[in-house]
Structure formats: structure tokens, C-alpha cells
């Protein structure tokens, strides 16, 4: 129904798997869980962003719910993390790469879906970023962590750049599938550069008394 | 509109009351709250799962919101817990029984609603389980606890079994009301057996360094 | 489309700005955040309640998402808080006043929207209160705090009174814009009186063993 529909679906499912695996492993490292918890948190990481996206875009029931392939793929990622978690936990780098893949793909597919449904560029950019960071945010809340996207690293910003690139390229008439892959690569590269050089988004100016973290 | 509609409504309201009472008592024991907090958390426990269900099923406005009987019943449960909490807190067993009743009824009514709206078996099973565990999950997040459904006990699994039984029996042409009660009893019994013998869902294989709980 | 539509929009945007500024400042004081976190939490405080409102009222896509003015205003409030946070943090009183303004306006506009869409008085009152307290509740969950609306102060109660006044006055045929401003003033005054005299909603009767807070 939209240009590059098959590519979009494939990218979306790939991002779903990457997020499920990464989300389940993150949850495993953070707290004590059983199989229900690990698989559920993997699935929520994977489909949470897309569910919020589809609520905001009035595209209910959510694709992540109506299309069983999303949660089959998400459940598979969660189960693999559950079974192999002990071994995978040591693989920090591939986990971060997987997460960046999911971030990039979801930012692009989220923005593309919004444009395809007739929403304006500002909505498409916002919803692309929400699709990308939403699932991990819900997961962090469920395991009692303040979502890291709010406090450090370059995470939302590459997602916003990926979504913005998608929207601008689409407005300039670029080919759907090509644009999507290019914007995803841009988001992915920025995210990986941020990780490699430990870049952070700007912190509030001069708040010296808040060094202790959870002082409150 | 669906077979056994009146039975479904009655079971749904009964589950709503059970969850409101149990949810408010759980919240009361976990943290310091005022009347607004106790009643709100009781109501959220009671109607939260059904609200998520109706978002996923594109059945908005949610039945739990559009039909005042749901929140009248939920508010009554919350108020009773507020007024009698001190006495009810010692009644651990009836509270657990009430909670298992709500779990069983919501798993069945959630799955039945999904089937009635034309969704497939995999959606009906997922949404039945979400209806059953969703309200308590939101409550736990609001009172700063990692939802217990993720970490221990048999909670989501009986809900999944109850929802699956509902879907299979329905597909085999079994009578609506009879099926619903039977599947709810099955879920309830499994939940109570799990409580009685302290059964847990499988934990991740061999994660020896995570014994301390919140070490993080 | 509803009487007083322009006034309603203006009040809604004013409340959005007040909540974004206040929400971002509250978040800044509670935990360590970067610019993404401060602006995001300001925006979520500002548009969260309206988003839940529009899900419950089946008015998707949410006005707070479809109309760019909402998040432009919300982003502006969040950015101001980010840039001036250090200075604004000392201004406790104006921040509380702003928050009361947002509370009053959202209770009224939420209830008015529900009535305008044909919902009954009980739905309008519930949704008015949810619109008013929803954004701050999501913000508190994201920064790891138990939402203060659940535990102390007069916060949900003035919102319920403001929403109820709106609904009753509307049912008696009062003029839209006049009613809305009057009900908002009433809610605002009750909230400010509660703050000034440190009033609290009733606590559960006699729970002596729970004095320590998070004893759990």
C-alpha cells in the first residue's frame, strides 16, 4: 500500500527481532526474572514502540498486534535470550549493535508509516522517534530503571535524525526503499559513533549540587 | 451480540470487583497512600487490563470506560479496601483467592471478546493474558514495584492456559457460557495450585552471580 | 465545533505550556537528565493527560499529537526549563501556581471535550480528572517516583471538583466559555488553598505499622 511496502515489512521484522533479543538481555542483566518475565520484556521492547505509534496514528489494531509475525519474531528473540542469556551477556558489543539496528529501523519505519497515512512532517518525525525509543522505555519502567534515553548517551537524537532524513527525502521524491535504507544507515552510524566516543546529549547548564545521582 | 453476552458481562464485573479489592489492598500494603491513591489503584488494577485489551482490539472507547458499571464496581471495591484495609490486610488467603478469581475471569472474557470481534486465535490468547495481568502490572509500576508477574509465581501461565482453553473450546463449537466458566475454573485451579505449592515459572539457566536480587 | 471552541483551545494551550514548564522543572530536580530527558519529560507532562483522554474518548489521533501547536508549546516550555532550570528551581511558588493553572485548565477542557463528544456526565468527570493528573503521573513513573497524586496533597480532588462543576453547569445550560473559566478558577483556588494550608486527602484509617514509608 505504500512504496517499498515489502522492504518496510522486512526491516520492521528485523528491527523487532533485534529489539526483542536486546531488550530481553538488558532485562536479564538488570533484575531477577523468570521465563515469563524475560520473554515478555523482550516482546515489549520489540513491539512497544510500534504499539504507541499505531495508537498515535489511529492505526488500530496495532500492526504489532494484528500481524502475528511481529510477536512470533519477538517471542523468538526473547526465548533465545532466555536460553542463551548467560553466554550472550558477555557479548556487549553485538548487543549494542543489535540495539542500534533496531533503533535505526524503527525510526525509519515509524516515520514512513506516518507519512504513508497522510500525517505531516512534524508528526512523522515525532512518531519515528517514539517508535524507536518507546519499547525500551516501557521495558526500563517495568524493571524499575529510569529510562536511559532520558539521561545519557546519544539515543533519541540519532532516531530523530533518521526520522527527519526519511521525511525530507520522501518530500523530495526519493525512492521509498532506497531512502529508508539510507536513513537507517545514517541513524545507525550516528548511534555507533556516539557509543564509540561516549558522546552525550547536552546536560542542563550548571547544576553543581546534583552530582550524587539519586540524592532527591 | 456474542453468545453468552450476559454471562460474560456478569463474569467481567465480578472480576472487576475482585481485582479492585485485591489491587487496592496490595497497594495499601506496599506504600503510603491517601484515599485517592487507594481507590485509584484499586480501579486501575480492575480496569487497566480491559483498557489495554480494548486499545489492542480497536474497540474504543474501552468498555471499562464507556460502561459506568465497570468503574462503579471498581470504585466500590477500592473504597471497601480503603475503609476496611486494616482488617482485610490480615486476610491473605481470601485476597489471593479473589485475585485468582479476577485473573481467571479476565483471561476468559478477554479472549472471548477478541474472538467475538473476529480476531485470530493467537491474538485472542495474547489479549486474554494481557487483560488478566495488565491491571496489576500498571498498579505495580505506579507503586514502584517490579511487577511480580515478571519474576516469580505462576501467574501469566494460568492466564495463558485459560485463554487458550477458551479459544480452542470455542473453535470446537462448545457453548459460550459453559466454555467460559470451565476455562475460568481451569485457570483458577492452576493458579491456586501454584500458590499452594509455591510453584514458579522456569528461571533463566545458570545465572549464579545474580543471587542478591537488586544488585544491578 | 463546540461552544467556546476558541477559548477551549487557548486554555488548553496555556495549560500545556504551564505543565511543560512545571513538568520539566520537577523532573530536573528529581534526577539527572540530559536535554532530551528534560524536554521529553516536559512534553510528556504537558501532553500525556490529553493523550490518555483521547484514547478513552476514541478521539484518535490525539489532539495533542495531530495538532502541532500542542507540542510546539510543550517543547518551548521544556526548553525554557532546560535553559533556565538553575534559576527557575528556586522559584517554588510560581512553579506551584503554574502547575495549579495546568491542573485547572486540563480538568475543565478534558471534561468539556467528553461532553462535546456525547459522553455521559460520569465519563466526563473521570476523563477531566485523568486529563489533569495523567501527564504528571507518567512523568513521575518515568523518573522513578511514586506519583504524588496517589499519596498526599489535594490534587486529584480539585480536578474532580473542576470537572464536576463543568459538567453540571453545562447540563444547566450555562454558557460554554464562561462556565469553563469559572470551573477552572474554582479548581485553581481549591488547589492553592490546599497548598497554602497543607491539606491532604484522607489517609486510610489506623495503619500504625506503616509509618516508615517504604518499609514494604
Amino acid at each position: 500500500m505504500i512504496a517499498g511496502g515489502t522492504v518496510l515489512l522486512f526491516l520492521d521484522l528485523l528491527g523487532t527481532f533485534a529489539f526483542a533479543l536486546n531488550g530481553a538481555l538488558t532485562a536479564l542483566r538488570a533484575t531477577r526474572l523468570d521465563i515469563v518475565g524475560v520473554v515478555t520484556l523482550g516482546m515489549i521492547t520489540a513491539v512497544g514502540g510500534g504499539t504507541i505509534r499505531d495508537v498515535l496514528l489511529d492505526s488500530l489494531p496495532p500492526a504489532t498486534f494484528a500481524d502475528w509475525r511481529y510477536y512470533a519474531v519477538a517471542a523468538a528473540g526473547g526465548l533465545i535470550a532466555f536460553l542463551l542469556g548467560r553466554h550472550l551477556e558477555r557479548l556487549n558489543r553485538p548487543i549494542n549493535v543489535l540495539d542500534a539496528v533496531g533503533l535505526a529501523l524503527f525510526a525509519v519505519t515509524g516515520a514512513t508509516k506516518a507519512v504513508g497515512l497522510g500525517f505531516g512532517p512534524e508528526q512523522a518525525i515525532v512518531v519515528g522517534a517514539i517508535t524507536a525509543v518507546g519499547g525500551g522505555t516501557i521495558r526500563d519502567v517495568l524493571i524499575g530503571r529510569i529510562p536511559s534515553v532520558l539521561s545519557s548517551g546519544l539515543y533519541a537524537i540519532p532516531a530523530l535524525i533518521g526520522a527527519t532524513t526519511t521525511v525530507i527525502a520522501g518530500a523530495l521524491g526519493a525512492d521509498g526503499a532506497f531512502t529508508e535504507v539510507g536513513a537507517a544507515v545514517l541513524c545507525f552510524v550516528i548511534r555507533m559513533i556516539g557509543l564509540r566516543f561516549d558522546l552525550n546529549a547536552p546536560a542542563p547548564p550548571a547544576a553543581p549540587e546534583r552530582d550524587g545521582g539519586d540524592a532527591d
Side-chain angles (χ1 to χ4, degrees), chain A:
Chain A
M1 81 196 68
I2 49 179
T6 309
V7 173
L8 191 65
L9 175 67
F10 175 76
L11 294 181
D12 221 21
L13 287 173
L14 185 62
T16 300
F17 181 76
F19 262 19
L21 191 55
N22 175 274
L25 289 170
T26 305
L28 256 177
R29 283 192 291 195
T31 188
R32 181 193 290 269
L33 299 165
D34 61 20
I35 186 173
V36 170
V38 176
V39 175
T40 300
L41 288 168
M43 293 179 74
I44 284 176
T45 308
V47 305
T51 303
I52 301 176
R53 174 197 67 201
D54 288 351
V55 169
L56 293 177
L57 298 180
D58 191 19
S59 178
L60 297 177
T64 45
F65 174 73
D67 184 338
W68 64 269
R69 289 172 293 192
Y70 283 95
Y71 42 92
V73 163
L79 268 173
I80 290 170
F82 176 79
L83 294 171
L84 304 180
R86 192 192 169 197
H87 309 287
L88 296 174
E89 274 182 57
R90 288 176 194 129
L91 307 175
N92 256 318
R93 180 186 294 270
I95 292 176
N96 281 332
V97 172
L98 269 183
D99 190 59
V101 169
L103 185 81
L105 295 174
F106 279 11
V108 168
T109 58
T112 303
K113 180 163 187 175
V115 170
L117 290 171
F119 284 87
E122 62 276 22
Q123 276 92 4
I125 293 166
V126 167
V127 94
I130 290 175
T131 309
V133 309
T137 302
I138 300 175
R139 176 205 60 211
D140 284 349
V141 165
L142 286 170
I143 60 177
R145 303 201 316 185
I146 297 179
S148 58
V149 65
L150 299 174
S151 60
S152 62
L154 283 192
Y155 200 73
I157 287 173
L160 285 165
I161 292 172
T164 305
T165 306
T166 307
V167 169
I168 291 176
L172 297 176
D175 171 64
F178 180 79
T179 297
E180 285 152 22
V181 173
V185 168
L186 180 64
C187 171
F188 175 80
V189 168
I190 296 172
R191 170 66 183 152
M192 292 312 292
I193 290 173
L195 276 175
R196 174 71 184 76
F197 297 100
D198 203 15
L199 302 180
N200 286 293
E209 66 275 80
R210 236 174 305 105
D211 284 338
D214 279 310
D216 190 17

